[in-house]
Amino acid sequence: MASPVPSVSELVQEARRTYEQVFGGEAPEVAVCAPGRVNLIGEHTDYNQGFVLPMALPMVTVVVGTRTSGQSVSIVTVTKDVEEPNRVDFNLPSDGSPLSPGHPKWANYVKGVVQHYRAQPVPGFRAVIASSVPLGGGLSSSASLEVAVYTFLQQLNPDDGDKVAKAVACQQAEHTHAGVPCGIMDQFVSVLGREAHALLIDCRSLEATLVPLSDPSLVILITNSNVKHSLTGSEYPTRRRQCEEAASILGKASLREATMKDLEDSRDRLDNVTYRRARHVIEEIERTSQAAEALKRSSYKIFGKLMVESHNSLRDLYEVSCRELDELVAAAMEVDGVYGSRMTGGGFGGCTVTLLQAHVIDRTILHIQERYSGSPTFYVTTPSVGAQVLRLS
Ligand code: GLA
């Protein structure tokens, strides 16, 4: 059956208890949270200036803490399955010099956000982090941590409150301190997600359109393959480079500007791999616009068909799927009442997202469990709100 997700208040309680234990009985003054995300369609299109259609999840990262008078920062994570130390202490450089990434790795997201925070200088602080976003599961645990830390810093030393600039600063943190040249999708939806809505984000203009998604006859099921192949790290920057190369050969600023006709006209100037990468992106951008339209009309069959086309293209043209994700999608699609299913996120493991009729949820979970060669985890989710300040009562 589907796994329960701890509530935000349970996470806050846990973080608070740890804070009081670790920091000598003192109570935290601030609490914030920011969600993970699932992308419904529009994969590997964000760094090509295209469209994406994610929604924020009920799984969140919580930060509780207090501003201190000095320059020192102490952070503890309650996450138990990290192999690294769960506490880090460092001093904020007083001369504005950069905070270098190092160990533990999880602290690099915090350092990156401190570095890129838009209202410098960042004051000293103590904080505890707790999260219900599965780590490394492709549901943006890192973006939710970045956005939660940024939201925390906003309570200590407010910036101008520009939400898009906040997402961009968190994306920068990921680039410089985690070494992942990601697009804007994860941080954007973690900041701007809305309850009962998916977000159609135009990654060129950085404008978003809310698409209602609260039909009670519909369920959004996330299935975690619980595998993560080691390719993820090296393949993502390679894909990004291939797309930039394709755009440059086509004489375009990005693949967003290119049509399939442009691509076919230049086919003999592209090697086969670059051609296939570009084709996925150009068609996926188009599929994402169509899918958003279909969702607005409640045309779930069309939406589901586009999801499957997206998955097949990620598998065959973009080559970022893997056997486990393909198995999960194939199993889901065997159940009557399932509209569509696809891998979600960067690929090479992580999760699939499936859209189905609410009344077939139990049957679908059972069927996937039976057919999948690994051991999956299931989450039944609803579109949730973006980053928030929480009351500490
Ligand atoms: C990762 C990145 C995103 C996006 C997806 C693929 O999640 O962080 O920016 O590129 O992969 O769609």
Side-chain angles (χ1 to χ4, degrees), residues 339-384:
Y339 293 116
S341 184
R342 58 184 286 281
M343 56 154 276
T344 184
F348 303 109
C351 295
T352 62
V353 57
T354 303
L355 198 73
L356 60 146
Q357 292 173 16
H359 68 96
V360 297
I361 181 66
D362 292 344
R363 201 188 316 157
T364 306
I365 289 179
L366 278 176
H367 186 77
I368 296 175
Q369 243 160 2
E370 253 171 52
R371 298 299 288 257
Y372 182 47
S373 56
S375 29
T377 314
F378 299 96
Y379 303 102
V380 170
T381 57
T382 45
S384 304

Side-chain angles (χ1 to χ4, degrees), residues 27 29 31 43 50 72 77 119 130 155 169 199 203 237 285-286 294 298 322 332 335-336 359 363 365 369:
E29 286 166 8
E43 217 66 83
S72 67
T77 172
Q155 312 318 303
L199 232 54
C203 300
I285 292 172
E286 177 58 26
S298 306
C322 58
V335 182
D336 237 16
H359 68 96
R363 201 188 316 157
I365 289 179
Q369 243 160 2

Side-chain angles (χ1 to χ4, degrees), residues 37 39 42-47 140 182-186 236 345-346:
R37 64 97 187 93
N39 189 20
E43 217 66 83
H44 290 278
T45 49
D46 59 353
Y47 53 84
S140 288
C182 64
I184 190 67
M185 165 169 69
D186 308 345
Y236 189 91

Side-chain angles (χ1 to χ4, degrees), residues 161-184:
D162 182 327
K163 292 191 168 182
V164 173
K166 172 177 174 176
V168 171
C170 291
Q171 179 196 22
Q172 289 304 315
E174 180 110 13
H175 287 192
T176 58
H177 283 68
V180 182
C182 64
I184 190 67

